[in-house]
Amino acid sequence: MTWELDISNIAGIRNGAATLHPGTNAVQASNWQGKTSLVTALRTVLGGEISSTTLTDGESEGSVHLQTPDDEYQVTLNQSAGTVSRSGTPYLTDEQDQICAELFAFLDEDNAIRTAVRDGADLTPHLIRPLEQENISEQIQSLQEERRRVESDLQDAERAAEKLTSKTEEITSLESKLEELQEELAEIDGDESESGDQEALEDDLADARRQRERAQQRVSRLEAKIESLESQIEDKETALDAIDVPAAPDLKAQLKDKQQTVRELSGEIETLETLYNTNERVLEEGHLDLVVDVDRQIDTDQLSCWVCGHETTRDDIQAQIDALSDAIAERREERSTLKTEVSDLKERQNEIRQQRREKQSLEQDLSSLRSTLSESQDELEEARSDLEEVMDRVDELESKVEETDDRRSTLEQEIARTEATLEQRCTVKSELEDEAAQRDDLQAQIDELSQEIQSLRARREHVIATAREAFDDALEDVVEKFDPSFESARLEKHVDPDTGETSDLELIIARDGREITVDAMSEGEVELVGFIAALAGYEAFSVADRVPCMLLDDVGGLASEHLQTLVDYLSDRTEYVVTTAYPEAGDFGGTVLSPDDWEVVSDQTGAVA
């Protein structure tokens, strides 16, 4: 359950760490070793007030890190333009908690309660300062508005209870009238007219109307179908008229002739290419000596043609080979032209075939559509005839039913109006009953709100009364434990005659049966009274539930044994007590926090608290 504290550039501590244990934690050291600075660091991370001296002089940033068994807290101080600001997450985040701790748990030299006692000032503003955060006036105003609303609801509920009797009588009358109307209608529905049973007529009429609806739907469906068929026939006739299949009786013969010519040219090209490649290889690759005898002369080579045997020259043979190449090229070009013509003829042939198939398909579709149209027209004529018969039957049955409808129409309308009125009156009655039933709850709410308002109004006086009682209890302990020169002290309450509230609390101290001022007391006694006053607020605002720590500093006015007694007394009220003391103050029976490992300002400058 220890607290681990790490400090950087806070007051006089440049770098330091401390471990706090439950119970008493005494920072015992000589002057300028960082005792007060440790208390300052704790106040900073717990959420206490900061000032320009909280940050180490000359530094722009400082921090305190607190690790508890349950969580960790980090506060960073920054200085800008001469102003020190705080960021991070302190232990206390609620403003009222911070104020209570600053007033009643952080008991250093500048504590407002201790200062007010030393100065003989009014303690009231300090003891009730945390109440300012509770916005008691706004809470009272809000509760009063809520009470006025509930009172208005209660008045409505009372009026609802008064209306219930007349509403019940009205409902009884409506129920009797409705019963009479329904009986009369039942008699009418039970009679048989000259035209036959009314219920059977209505059944026949309903059936005839269903037949008429089906016949109308059939006629509409057939009319739409015929319209669609006529539109389709028109579209296909237009498409058929647009198709013009050309006559091409010799197209197949032309294609066959050209394909034959392409094959013949391909054979010639293959023969010429073979001849050309063979002779070209003999001439270019130096194989002449293999086929003929060559007479190499200065201007040209003389040889015999290896095909015909006539005398010739190498240049003449080369010319013949070039002529072969030209012949090959000519035939290739002719073959390419023919292939293009063959492709065009095939494409034209396919187009003609496609047009013929499309024309044939359109003709078949038209034949089928015309046949379907004829059948549909016959069916429509039949459907219209059926519809006419059904409509005649509906008119006949409606005429028969109408004869008795007028007789009961008025009754049915009157019954419907009566039922609607009765339902509305029953709904109103139910709402009135629900509203009237809320009277007790509403009255209870009003009483509860009144109690809350009264409690809030008494909150200030309750705090003052609790503080006075806690002051008296603590004083008894102090007188018993410390044996001061005065025998009693109290917080005397002065009441404002206009408001009836406490205007101020006067500190009354008695010695030897007469009142004295703080000036007549020793420094140690003044400090004891200051602690008692702070404990009064500590109890009044249940500070032990807000922060489990009390800080003591600069209690030099107390003798060592008295300081130990005070620390022991306070340790029973909180989980952690941290106090500063000189080494000669002796053993406090708890944890001693040594500053030996801290880096403090006095290490360089020679002075720190």
Side-chain angles (χ1 to χ4, degrees):
M1 297 296 290
T2 59
W3 282 10
E4 300 293 338
L5 196 67
D6 289 302
I7 307 167
S8 175
N9 292 331
I10 300 297
I13 300 177
R14 295 192 180 277
N15 284 291
T19 300
L20 305 184
H21 295 269
T24 302
N25 296 267
V27 190
Q28 292 185 268
S30 301
N31 289 333
W32 311 311
Q33 298 301 305
K35 300 189 301 297
T36 297
S37 298
L38 175 71
V39 173
T40 300
L42 267 171
R43 287 182 62 219
T44 301
V45 76
L46 289 173
E49 297 176 357
I50 62 172
S51 66
S52 58
T53 60
T54 306
L55 185 65
T56 301
D57 186 36
E59 299 294 336
S60 61
E61 181 177 313
S63 65
V64 186
H65 177 267
L66 173 62
Q67 178 70 57
T68 71
D70 300 323
D71 211 337
E72 61 179 328
Y73 308 90
Q74 174 79 29
V75 171
T76 301
L77 302 183
N78 293 97
Q79 180 170 260
S80 177
T83 301
V84 176
S85 61
R86 171 167 50 195
S87 61
T89 305
Y91 186 95
L92 300 174
T93 55
D94 180 78
E95 188 172 359
Q96 189 183 55
D97 291 345
Q98 293 173 347
I99 292 173
C100 287
E102 189 69 37
L103 287 169
F104 311 124
F106 301 161
L107 307 179
D108 57 7
E109 180 184 14
D110 297 326
N111 176 267
I113 302 292
R114 291 178 61 187
T115 301
V117 171
R118 286 195 295 266
D119 296 341
D122 181 16
L123 293 173
T124 311
H126 305 297
L127 288 175
I128 67 171
R129 180 183 165 196
L131 293 178
E132 297 173 1
Q133 305 302 313
E134 296 183 11
N135 298 320
I136 292 177
S137 297
E138 294 181 9
Q139 291 185 58
I140 291 175
Q141 182 179 358
S142 176
L143 289 171
Q144 286 174 333
E145 293 175 356
E146 177 67 11
R147 184 172 63 181
R148 283 192 291 271
R149 185 191 66 76
V150 177
E151 287 172 344
S152 176
D153 291 343
L154 179 58
Q155 292 176 358
D156 292 341
E158 295 287 357
R159 285 192 290 268
E162 295 173 0
K163 294 177 181 178
L164 269 176
T165 301
S166 61
K167 194 62 62 178
T168 301
E169 294 175 353
E170 184 179 357
I171 289 173
T172 302
S173 175
L174 285 169
E175 287 174 341
S176 298
K177 179 181 178 181
L178 179 61
E179 186 177 355
E180 293 173 359
L181 291 170
Q182 289 172 337
E183 288 176 355
E184 186 177 355
L185 180 61
E187 292 177 1
I188 294 175
D189 286 338
D191 291 342
E192 291 186 358
S193 66
E194 295 178 359
S195 59
D197 182 76
Q198 179 69 13
E199 185 177 353
L201 284 173
E202 290 178 351
D203 290 343
D204 290 343
L205 176 59
D207 183 61
R209 284 171 175 168
R210 286 192 291 271
Q211 292 178 17
R212 181 183 61 182
E213 183 177 357
R214 287 195 294 269
Q216 288 173 335
Q217 291 175 351
R218 183 186 177 200
V219 169
S220 298
R221 186 170 61 254
L222 287 169
E223 288 175 342
K225 180 180 179 181
I226 289 172
E227 183 179 354
S228 175
L229 287 170
E230 290 175 341
S231 176
Q232 293 179 55
I233 289 172
E234 183 180 354
D235 292 341
K236 290 189 181 294
E237 286 176 341
T238 301
L240 184 60
D241 292 341
I243 296 176
D244 184 15
V245 181
D250 60 341
L251 185 62
K252 185 175 182 181
Q254 291 180 37
L255 180 60
K256 183 176 181 181
D257 290 344
K258 289 184 182 293
Q259 288 175 332
Q260 179 61 34
T261 304
V262 168
R263 286 192 293 272
E264 291 173 357
L265 283 171
S266 295
E268 291 176 5
I269 290 170
E270 183 178 358
T271 301
L272 288 173
E273 285 179 341
T274 301
L275 182 59
Y276 172 81
N277 291 332
T278 301
N279 288 287
E280 178 71 12
R281 191 179 304 113
V282 169
L283 192 62
E284 293 298 327
E285 295 181 7
H287 298 316
L288 283 174
D289 293 336
L290 295 176
V291 295
V292 297
D293 293 330
V294 180
D295 182 12
R296 291 179 173 80
Q297 299 181 7
I298 295 174
D299 54 347
T300 184
D301 295 337
Q302 295 289 331
L303 65 150
S304 298
C305 175
W306 57 81
V307 177
C308 64
H310 292 93
E311 291 296 325
T312 185
T313 66
R314 182 186 182 92
D315 292 339
D316 289 339
I317 293 174
Q318 183 64 54
Q320 290 297 324
I321 292 173
D322 291 342
L324 283 172
S325 177
D326 293 341
I328 292 169
E330 290 174 1
R331 283 167 173 76
R332 284 177 176 170
E333 184 177 356
E334 183 180 359
R335 184 179 62 177
S336 176
T337 301
L338 283 171
K339 284 183 176 181
T340 300
E341 293 174 356
V342 168
S343 178
D344 291 343
L345 287 172
K346 287 182 177 180
E347 184 176 352
R348 180 60 177 158
Q349 189 179 50
N350 289 334
E351 289 177 356
I352 292 172
R353 288 174 180 169
Q354 179 63 29
Q355 288 175 334
R356 286 174 180 167
R357 285 194 296 268
E358 186 175 351
K359 181 177 181 180
Q360 183 180 5
S361 176
L362 286 171
E363 289 173 343
Q364 292 174 350
D365 291 346
L366 277 170
S367 177
S368 176
L369 288 170
R370 287 170 180 149
S371 176
T372 304
L373 175 61
S374 177
E375 294 173 357
S376 298
Q377 288 171 337
D378 294 341
E379 188 177 356
L380 176 59
E381 185 177 351
E382 179 185 350
R384 284 172 175 167
S385 177
D386 293 342
L387 175 59
E388 186 176 352
E389 292 180 3
V390 172
M391 291 179 68
D392 290 342
R393 175 159 176 73
V394 168
D395 292 341
E396 180 184 353
L397 290 171
E398 285 178 343
S399 178
K400 292 179 179 180
V401 171
E402 189 176 355
E403 293 176 3
T404 56
D405 280 348
D406 292 340
R407 293 176 58 198
R408 63 178 183 179
S409 178
T410 302
L411 280 175
E412 289 177 342
Q413 292 176 3
E414 185 67 18
I415 287 173
R417 285 195 296 269
T418 304
E419 287 177 339
T421 303
L422 179 60
E423 182 179 2
Q424 189 269 338
R425 297 296 189 274
C426 289
T427 300
V428 172
K429 178 186 177 184
S430 178
E431 292 173 352
L432 290 174
E433 288 174 341
D434 292 343
E435 194 170 358
Q438 296 176 4
R439 287 176 293 175
D440 292 342
D441 291 340
L442 291 171
Q443 184 61 56
Q445 290 181 43
I446 292 172
D447 295 342
E448 183 179 351
L449 288 169
S450 299
Q451 291 176 2
E452 290 184 33
I453 292 170
Q454 184 62 31
S455 176
L456 283 173
R457 284 175 174 164
R459 172 76 169 131
R460 183 176 184 272
E461 295 303 313
H462 174 73
V463 167
I464 292 174
T466 303
R468 294 180 67 205
E469 183 179 350
F471 184 92
D472 293 342
D473 292 342
L475 180 68
E476 291 182 7
D477 293 336
V478 166
V479 170
E480 179 183 350
K481 294 178 181 295
F482 296 90
D483 191 24
S485 64
F486 59 89
E487 66 269 12
S488 69
R490 69 181 185 278
L491 295 176
E492 184 72 27
K493 181 174 75 170
H494 296 279
V495 179
D496 187 326
D498 295 329
T499 64
E501 295 182 347
T502 301
S503 59
D504 63 88
L505 292 173
E506 181 182 3
L507 178 61
I508 305 296
I509 304 171
R511 177 193 293 161
D512 299 329
R514 59 187 179 86
E515 295 183 4
I516 61 173
T517 64
V518 293
D519 296 335
M521 300 167 62
S522 68
E523 181 181 356
E525 290 174 332
V526 172
E527 294 298 343
L528 280 177
V529 174
F531 283 116
I532 294 172
L535 286 176
Y538 188 89
E539 295 297 331
F541 287 97
S542 302
V543 179
D545 297 332
R546 303 172 187 263
V547 55
C549 183
M550 294 187 73
L551 308 179
L552 280 71
D553 184 40
D554 196 8
V555 199
L558 288 179
S560 297
E561 65 273 14
H562 287 163
L563 177 58
Q564 290 181 7
T565 301
L566 176 64
V567 170
D568 183 61
Y569 177 66
L570 294 178
S571 65
D572 292 335
R573 298 172 177 267
T574 186
E575 187 173 358
Y576 298 87
V577 174
V578 179
T579 183
T580 61
Y582 291 107
E584 54 268 23
D587 185 9
F588 282 81
T591 302
V592 177
L593 304 179
S594 173
D596 292 344
D597 295 330
W598 301 347
E599 180 186 349
V600 295
V601 173
S602 62
D603 293 340
Q604 290 83 28
T605 63
V608 62

